[in-house]
């Protein structure tokens, strides 16, 4: 059949006949997911998982919103529904409704058709598609991300083709915002640089600028031509009010300038695993927005062709129906309120206990996470002695706390702070 | 909500000029003003044009999605049942980065064989992916990261998006000859030449069955020869399997090429899609697998695949994966699925027969054997772009200009009309 050709080793061949991937080493475990893995292994009856970045009820259970179940039933019972490919840009209704949700129904940018919105795979997917678009079409390839930020941000933007720098954000001494540092670092950024901003409920610190501070950030950024890229993963989930949590984004859009916004429905609609999100690019003109949208398609097509239909259909069903929408806002507020309540309970309990230190940051910070200020040794101690599972940076997920577990956490923190420095 | 007119906005003084706006102390032009409009996707453009056509006779044979004999999209019964079971029951928590374990297990059984030793030995690194596209892209990214000096050999022709995928992953592309226009079949001799002449250890993209867009597959004997030559050359075979079950109606038969390569000891890569064979198009469900030397290596490779997925979408969508798991994991539902997928394949095979017979009955001077020789959703008719344009302009028949007909769009209702039109534009060839 085939003659024996002299075989020259090629760069791709491993051991002749062996795997070409023989040299692939195992990747390190994801630090956040590693927490849950360790938690699951622990047999202690008093263990608490404060690593999880997903909402839990008072009973510690995941929650599917009632309004989501209703929307799902509507979809399942509709015999006319098909499973055809969505367009590359996703479900049109969903895109329009998502833009309205974040920018406001009366936003001039929307009225003037200046917003290009594409459905993406939750916040991650929206950030990645936006990043790839910028790497191809924007004149500045550097993005500034806050210090600290969600662990996945640097990788997302690096793989998208951008180079990543940081700006000061969190002040460990106050456990609040390092506003002077932030302004200084953004002032020093090259004109046109991209700046990643957490729209609300900063992850992992829970520290947000005030509206005044946002205004100052806006003026500075616009004067330097810095391009805002908002990550909005907690709209409605932070304060309980959808409009309030969108204020930072809307301030920037109101000045007529351009920006990018990544939206996620993972937390605020509890759609985590369905991967529902949207990327919006607010442009100067409708013509630019049309061209931008056409280029976004070229990023998406070789990545996954078109986005998944299920989750977006649920969101669109809810957002377009007055009654479902209203019910959603109520359920959303209930989740936000429970978290705010946990913050208050934890703070009150620490004060009552007389635990040394100023714990007011617990009630000043907002959203799912609290940066406790505990150090790595203290965290390790709490895990070992009290079976409290959290990330080593001292971040706890308030969503994982309940009235029942607050006392145990307080015991653990008290012990850690008094026995370990 | 009333639309606000430009007049009102102007009067309120909040209408910025089209391109410039005053912000703080600076007027700024759009940062994206230089962005060019992207070229339209050739395939999607066909459907757009079809939808815009008012003619009652119009036929869409561009669509790459299954249609029933009434030209309607189909949701399989097994899928409807699976969804009934899902709704109202489970939570929507994040899947692991690598996706649904259950779906992956079932997918591997489907591709590698129900009783595959390789599965038992845990030698297959596998992750859930965003349908076939996502699986190919993850593999391309993985190839770039771990074997940055390699290229990918892609058949001529292939699905247009294959080129986009490896290009965006920054993996250089080469081509190998595949389709033989003269016979409208496989150019086996040239294909084997290209396989032999490629440097040892080259990476090849192979369509496991129902080649898109030609419908031309190697015979079993030819696959064996290809596999042998791959062993001699130590080439890496990457299979894109988007039509398992959908081509012949028998999933095991459609996986024959893969099984031959596995028997011969190749360490393959494989992209699987459930878009067509389960009709889950918009759900984006698929699986990427890479066969490794041992379990340890498989664990390492899987962990690295996850590292590539994480900065792209964190973890894959749960809904479609649940549907697949429920169907394949339940013997009754799986049985129903096998029946339904055979039904789809049979209808298409029936339409191939009908189209060919119609053309022959019309006394066409050309040979139309290839219509029934080819397999799967698509038929490479051999028509020129000019002939295709005539089909569209004169007969309102929509297809891609490379002469590709989606047999899924052919029905007993339109096959006569289609045959007649094709005859008209080709009879003087």
């Amino acid at each position: 059949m085939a003659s024996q050709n002299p075989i020259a080793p090629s760069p791709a061949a491993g051991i002749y006949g062996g795997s070409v991937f023989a040299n692939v080493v195992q990747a390190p475990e994801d630090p956040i997911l590693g927490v849950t893995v360790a938690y699951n292994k622990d047999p202690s009856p008093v263990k608490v998982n404060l690593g999880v970045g997903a909402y839990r009820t008072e009973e510690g259970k995941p929650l599917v919103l009632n309004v989501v179940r209703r929307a799902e039933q509507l979809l399942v019972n509709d015999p006319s529904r098909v499973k055809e490919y969505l367009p590359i840009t996703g479900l049109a209704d969903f895109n329009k409704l998502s833009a309205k949700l974040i920018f406001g129904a009366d936003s001039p940018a929307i009225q003037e058709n200046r917003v290009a919105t594409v459905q993406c795979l939750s916040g991650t997917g929206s950030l990645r598609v936006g990043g790839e678009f910028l790497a191809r079409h924007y004149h500045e390839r550097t993005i500034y991300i806050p210090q600290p930020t969600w662990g996945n941000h640097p990788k997302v933007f690096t793989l998208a083709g951008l180079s990543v720098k940081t700006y000061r954000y969190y002040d460990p001494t106050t456990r609040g915002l390092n506003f002077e540092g932030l302004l200084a670092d953004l002032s020093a950024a090259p004109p046109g640089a991209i700046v990643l901003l957490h729209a609300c409920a900063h992850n992992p610190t829970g520290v947000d600028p005030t509206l005044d501070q946002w205004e100052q950030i806006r003026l500075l950024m616009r004067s330097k031509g810095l391009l805002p890229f908002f990550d909005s993963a907690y709209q409605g989930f932070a304060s309980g009010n959808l409009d309030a949590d969108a204020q930072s984004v809307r301030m920037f859009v109101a000045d007529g300038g351009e920006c990018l916004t990544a939206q996620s429905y993972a937390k605020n609609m509890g759609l985590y695993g369905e991967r529902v999100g949207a990327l919006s690019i607010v442009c100067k003109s409708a013509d630019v927005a049309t061209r931008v949208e056409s280029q976004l398609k070229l990023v998406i097509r070789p990545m996954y062709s078109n986005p998944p239909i299920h989750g977006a259909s649920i969101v669109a069903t809810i957002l377009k129906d007055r009654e479902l929408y209203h019910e959603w806002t109520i359920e959303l507020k209930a989740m936000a309120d429970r978290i705010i309540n946990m913050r208050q309970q934890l703070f009150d309990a620490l004060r009552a206990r007389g635990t040394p230190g100023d714990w007011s940051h617990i009630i000043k910070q907002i959203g799912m996470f609290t940066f406790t200020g505990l150090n790595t040794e203290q965290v390790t101690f709490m895990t070992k002695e009290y079976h409290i599972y959290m990330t080593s940076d001292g971040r706890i997920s308030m969503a994982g706390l309940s009235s029942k577990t607050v006392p145990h956490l307080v015991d653990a923190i008290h012990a850690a702070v008094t026995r370990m420095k | 909500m009333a639309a606000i007119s430009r007049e009102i906005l102007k009067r309120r003084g909040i209408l910025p000029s089209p391109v410039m706006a005053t912000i703080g102390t600076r007027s700024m032009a759009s940062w994206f003003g230089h962005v060019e409009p992207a070229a339209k996707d050739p395939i999607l453009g066909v459907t757009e044009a079809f939808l815009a056509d008012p003619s009652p006779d119009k036929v869409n044979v561009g669509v790459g999605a299954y249609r029933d004999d009434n030209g309607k999209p189909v949701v399989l019964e097994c899928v409807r049942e699976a969804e009934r079971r899902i709704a109202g029951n489970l939570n929507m928590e994040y899947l692991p980065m690598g996706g649904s374990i259950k779906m992956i297990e079932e997918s591997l059984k489907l591709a590698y064989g129900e009783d595959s030793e390789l599965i038992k030995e845990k030698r297959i690194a596998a992750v859930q992916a965003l349908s076939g596209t996502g699986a190919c892209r993850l593999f391309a990214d993985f190839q770039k990261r771990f074997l940055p000096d390699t290229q990918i050999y892609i058949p001529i022709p292939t699905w247009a998006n294959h080129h986009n995928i490896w290009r965006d992953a920054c993996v250089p592309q080469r081509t190998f000859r595949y389709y033989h226009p003269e016979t409208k079949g496989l150019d086996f001799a040239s294909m084997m030449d290209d396989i032999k002449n490629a440097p040892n250890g080259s990476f090849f993209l192979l369509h496991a069955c129902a080649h898109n867009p030609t419908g031309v597959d190697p015979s079993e004997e030819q696959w064996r020869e290809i596999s042998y030559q791959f062993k001699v050359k130590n080439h890496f075979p990457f299979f894109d399997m988007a039509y398992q079950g959908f081509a012949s109606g028998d999933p095991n038969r459609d996986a024959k090429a893969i099984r031959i390569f596995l028997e011969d000891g190749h360490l393959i890569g494989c992209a699987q899609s459930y878009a067509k064979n389960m009709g889950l198009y918009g759900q984006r469900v698929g699986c990427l697998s890479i066969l490794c030397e041992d379990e340890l290596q498989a664990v390492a490779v899987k962990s690295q695949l996850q590292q590539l997925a994480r900065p792209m979408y964190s973890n894959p969508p749960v809904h479609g994966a649940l549907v697949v798991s429920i169907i394949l994991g339940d013997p009754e539902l799986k049985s129903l699925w096998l029946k339904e997928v055979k039904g789809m394949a049979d209808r298409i095979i029936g339409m191939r027969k009908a189209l060919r017979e119609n053309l022959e009955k019309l006394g066409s001077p050309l040979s139309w054997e290839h219509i029934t020789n080819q397999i799967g959703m698509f038929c490479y008719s051999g028509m020129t772009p000019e002939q295709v344009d005539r089909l569209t302009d004169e007969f309102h028949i929509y297809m891609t200009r490379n002469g590709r007909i989606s047999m899924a769009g052919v029905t007993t209702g339109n096959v006569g009309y289609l045959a007649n039109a094709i005859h008209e534009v080709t009879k003087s060839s």
Side-chain angles (χ1 to χ4, degrees):
Chain A
M1 212 180 294
S3 59
Q4 278 300 317
N5 294 324
I7 308 295
S10 83
I15 312 155
Y16 178 67
S19 170
V20 294
F21 302 119
N23 296 326
V24 171
V25 293
Q26 179 148 1
E29 177 97 51
D30 185 289
I32 299 177
L33 299 176
V35 170
T36 296
V37 167
Y39 168 85
N40 286 334
K41 285 203 187 108
D42 187 333
S44 163
V46 301
K47 63 181 181 177
V48 186
N49 188 353
L50 301 180
V52 67
Y55 182 80
R56 293 286 177 266
T57 62
E58 259 289 310
E59 293 72 38
K61 299 267 178 289
L63 177 67
V64 177
L65 301 187
N66 205 41
V67 76
V68 166
R69 289 245 176 271
R70 287 175 58 192
E72 258 203 327
Q73 283 301 330
L74 286 171
L75 294 171
V76 138
N77 293 327
D78 180 356
S80 73
R81 285 196 62 79
V82 292
K83 298 196 167 304
E84 297 291 281
Y85 291 124
L86 284 177
I88 299 174
T89 51
L91 194 59
D93 273 357
F94 167 84
N95 289 338
K96 288 199 177 61
L97 292 161
S98 294
K100 281 201 202 124
L101 186 65
I102 186 70
F103 300 120
D106 52 357
S107 169
I110 295 181
Q111 307 297 337
E112 294 156 24
N113 295 312
R114 294 192 284 114
V115 184
T117 304
V118 293
Q119 180 191 338
C120 294
L121 279 99
S122 209
T124 309
S126 306
L127 293 166
R128 177 62 179 268
V129 170
E132 295 242 353
F133 171 81
L134 292 173
R136 289 174 203 205
H137 298 286
Y138 186 61
H139 64 280
E140 248 294 333
R141 307 270 293 249
T142 309
I143 183 164
Y144 282 77
I145 64 178
Q147 183 90 297
T149 192
W150 181 45
N152 205 19
H153 276 143
K155 294 194 204 91
V156 169
F157 293 118
T158 303
L159 285 196
L162 298 173
S163 93
V164 175
K165 290 202 159 74
T166 58
Y167 61 92
R168 280 169 287 172
Y169 191 84
Y170 178 70
D171 185 348
T173 54
T174 61
R175 296 187 188 123
L177 183 64
N178 180 355
F179 193 49
E180 294 312 312
L182 182 156
L183 291 177
D185 288 351
L186 292 189
S187 294
I194 311 156
V195 180
L196 179 75
L197 302 162
H198 295 226
C200 70
H202 180 272
N203 176 2
T205 68
V207 169
D208 284 350
T210 62
L211 281 179
D212 268 340
Q213 289 171 327
W214 271 122
E215 175 62 10
Q216 288 185 63
I217 294 169
R218 183 191 72 78
L219 284 169
L220 171 63
M221 286 183 61
R222 292 314 198 190
S223 75
K224 296 213 52 157
L226 301 175
L227 178 64
F229 195 154
F230 283 98
D231 186 352
S232 174
Y234 299 99
Q235 187 187 3
F237 197 93
S239 69
N241 182 299
L242 288 157
D243 293 317
D245 290 347
Q247 274 305 99
S248 60
V249 176
R250 294 183 189 179
M251 281 167 67
F252 277 75
V253 176
D255 69 15
E258 298 178 317
C259 67
L260 283 78
T261 303
Q263 277 171 282
S264 166
Y265 290 95
K267 288 81 167 173
N268 62 8
M269 265 204 207
L271 292 173
Y272 306 92
E274 303 291 353
R275 319 310 294 127
V276 205
L279 168 71
S280 285
I281 303 187
V282 178
C283 307
K284 275 302 164 58
S285 72
D287 175 60
V288 171
T290 304
R291 288 183 267 133
V292 163
E293 188 189 277
S294 74
Q295 291 291 348
L296 286 169
K297 288 188 201 172
L298 296 191
V299 171
I300 292 168
R301 176 72 161 147
M303 226 186 248
Y304 50 84
S305 282
N306 41 73
I309 189 172
H310 190 74
S313 304
I314 293 175
V315 172
T317 302
I318 294 169
L319 293 184
K320 70 162 66 123
D321 179 297
R322 278 185 95 108
E323 202 252 306
L324 287 175
Y325 181 92
H326 180 69
E327 185 177 338
W328 174 49
T329 61
I330 294 175
E331 288 191 85
L332 182 51
K333 186 165 190 313
M335 288 195 288
D337 283 349
R338 189 180 98 65
I339 294 206
I340 292 168
N341 191 261
M342 287 301 104
R343 289 182 176 279
Q344 194 64 51
Q345 279 193 34
L346 181 58
F347 172 72
D348 290 343
L350 283 165
R351 269 228 308 210
R353 188 67 187 270
T355 305
D358 176 3
W359 299 99
S360 61
H361 55 283
I362 293 178
I363 47 177
K364 286 192 204 140
Q365 291 166 7
I366 190 169
M368 196 177 281
F369 303 111
T370 292
F371 237 32
T372 55
L374 296 162
N375 62 42
T376 317
E377 289 74 37
Q378 289 165 329
V379 170
T380 308
F381 169 83
M382 284 169 57
T383 306
K384 195 153 165 289
E385 304 297 327
Y386 287 83
H387 309 275
I388 305 282
Y389 289 84
M390 53 196 277
T391 47
S392 58
D393 56 5
R395 183 193 87 165
I396 56 175
S397 168
M398 304 309 292
L401 258 189
S402 72
S403 315
K404 290 193 224 36
T405 51
V406 162
H408 184 63
L409 177 60
V410 169
D411 285 345
I413 294 177
H414 190 89
V417 164
T418 50
R419 281 191 247 169
M420 316 203 59
K421 297 294 175 235
Chain B
M1 177 198 56
I4 303 177
S5 72
R6 289 180 68 86
E7 265 315 300
I8 295 175
L9 288 172
K10 261 206 214 136
R11 270 184 260 138
R12 289 187 193 171
I14 56 177
L15 179 68
S17 77
V19 173
M20 307 286 282
T22 306
I23 300 146
T25 57
R26 236 173 91 120
S27 297
M28 291 153 60
S30 170
W31 282 298
F32 306 115
H34 62 285
V35 169
E36 295 286 312
K40 278 204 146 161
D41 188 288
I43 299 175
L44 299 175
V46 169
T47 296
E48 271 182 37
F50 168 81
L51 290 170
D53 186 332
S55 163
D57 299 324
K58 64 181 179 177
V59 175
N60 187 355
V61 283
V63 67
Y66 182 77
R67 295 283 176 267
D68 64 15
D69 202 43
N70 296 313
K72 297 275 177 281
V74 170
V75 178
L76 301 186
E77 247 328 292
C78 61
V79 169
R80 287 218 186 276
E81 175 54 30
E83 292 204 307
R84 276 190 283 266
R85 295 186 196 181
I86 294 169
N89 250 329
L90 300 148
N91 61 52
M92 287 162 170
E93 295 289 281
Y94 292 124
L95 281 177
M97 268 188 286
S100 157
I101 307 284
K102 184 79 175 102
M103 192 220 78
I104 292 169
E105 266 173 26
E106 293 296 339
S107 299
L108 294 183
K109 284 185 347 204
L110 203 57
Y112 292 78
E114 203 54 49
D115 301 307
S116 167
E117 284 303 312
L118 305 166
I119 298 178
K120 297 196 180 105
E121 290 163 21
K122 304 199 174 147
R123 284 177 50 192
I124 309 174
V127 294
Q128 181 185 336
L130 293 160
S131 208
T133 308
C136 287
R137 176 58 180 268
L138 267 187
F139 181 78
D141 281 350
F142 180 76
Q143 188 185 351
K144 179 64 185 177
R145 178 170 277 189
F146 291 97
L147 294 166
D149 297 329
T150 59
Q151 303 135 350
I152 184 83
Y153 281 78
I154 294 184
I156 308 174
T158 194
W159 180 47
N161 206 24
H162 278 144
H163 295 293
N164 300 333
I165 290 169
W166 268 271
R167 179 205 61 219
D168 274 19
C170 300
V171 174
Q173 299 174 33
R174 299 275 182 277
T175 54
F176 65 94
R177 286 165 293 174
Y178 188 85
Y179 178 69
H180 200 212
E182 288 74 40
T183 58
K184 299 184 187 76
L186 182 65
D187 188 353
F188 187 57
S190 301
M191 179 181 177
M192 291 304 279
D193 266 350
D194 289 350
I195 289 172
K196 287 177 197 160
N197 292 331
N200 292 354
S202 293
F203 281 62
F204 277 76
L205 170 70
L206 302 166
H207 296 227
C209 64
H211 180 272
N212 176 1
T214 68
V216 169
D217 286 349
S219 66
E220 189 176 317
E221 195 40 50
Q222 288 171 328
W223 274 122
R224 289 193 191 283
E225 283 195 51
I226 296 167
S227 171
Y228 178 82
Q229 199 53 233
F230 265 58
K231 274 255 110 163
V232 168
K233 297 286 297 184
N234 201 27
H235 288 331
F236 184 97
F238 183 74
F239 285 97
D240 185 353
M241 183 155 66
Y243 299 97
Q244 188 183 10
F246 195 90
S248 70
D250 176 353
N252 278 317
R253 189 155 149 215
D254 289 344
K256 192 64 189 171
I258 289 179
R259 306 286 168 84
I260 288 171
F261 272 68
L262 292 174
E263 274 165 34
D264 286 352
H266 290 285
L267 298 173
I268 69 167
C270 179
Q272 286 169 270
S273 166
Y274 290 98
K276 289 78 165 177
N277 62 9
M278 257 193 216
L280 294 176
Y281 307 92
Q283 313 283 174
R284 320 312 293 129
V285 207
C287 181
L288 167 67
S289 56
I290 297 177
L291 176 58
C292 302
E293 290 179 286
D294 53 44
E295 185 181 346
L296 211 60
Q297 200 179 87
V299 166
V301 167
K302 177 168 174 155
S303 75
Q304 293 293 353
L305 290 172
Q306 290 175 180
Q307 289 293 307
L308 289 162
R310 175 76 161 142
M312 207 186 276
Y313 48 82
S314 280
N315 40 73
V318 62
H319 187 82
L322 276 177
V323 171
V324 172
S325 306
I326 288 175
I327 291 172
L328 295 181
D330 176 318
E332 250 185 67
L333 279 182
K334 181 167 181 181
S335 194
L336 175 57
W337 171 60
L338 289 170
K339 230 174 99 218
E340 292 188 277
V341 81
K342 186 168 192 311
M344 291 193 286
D346 284 348
R347 192 184 91 67
I348 292 199
I349 291 168
M351 286 300 101
R352 288 182 178 277
K353 214 158 147 269
L355 182 59
R356 175 182 168 180
E357 279 170 2
N358 270 270
L359 282 162
E360 287 169 351
K361 257 194 258 159
L362 285 165
S364 170
L366 304 170
S367 165
W368 296 100
E369 278 190 356
H370 53 286
I371 296 180
T372 48
N373 286 340
Q374 292 166 6
I375 191 170
M377 195 176 282
F378 302 111
C379 163
Y380 232 37
S381 62
M383 285 187 286
T384 65
E386 293 68 38
Q387 287 168 333
V388 171
D389 288 342
R390 278 191 65 195
L391 280 182
T392 307
D393 297 336
E394 295 171 36
F395 296 93
H396 308 276
I397 293 173
Y398 291 82
M399 52 196 283
T400 45
R401 291 184 88 237
N402 56 7
R404 184 192 85 166
I405 299 174
S406 171
M407 297 309 297
V410 181
T411 66
T412 51
N414 66 26
V415 66
Y417 178 77
L418 180 60
N420 189 59
I422 293 175
H423 179 60
E424 281 302 307
V425 308
T426 58
K427 64 188 178 186
S428 51
S429 301

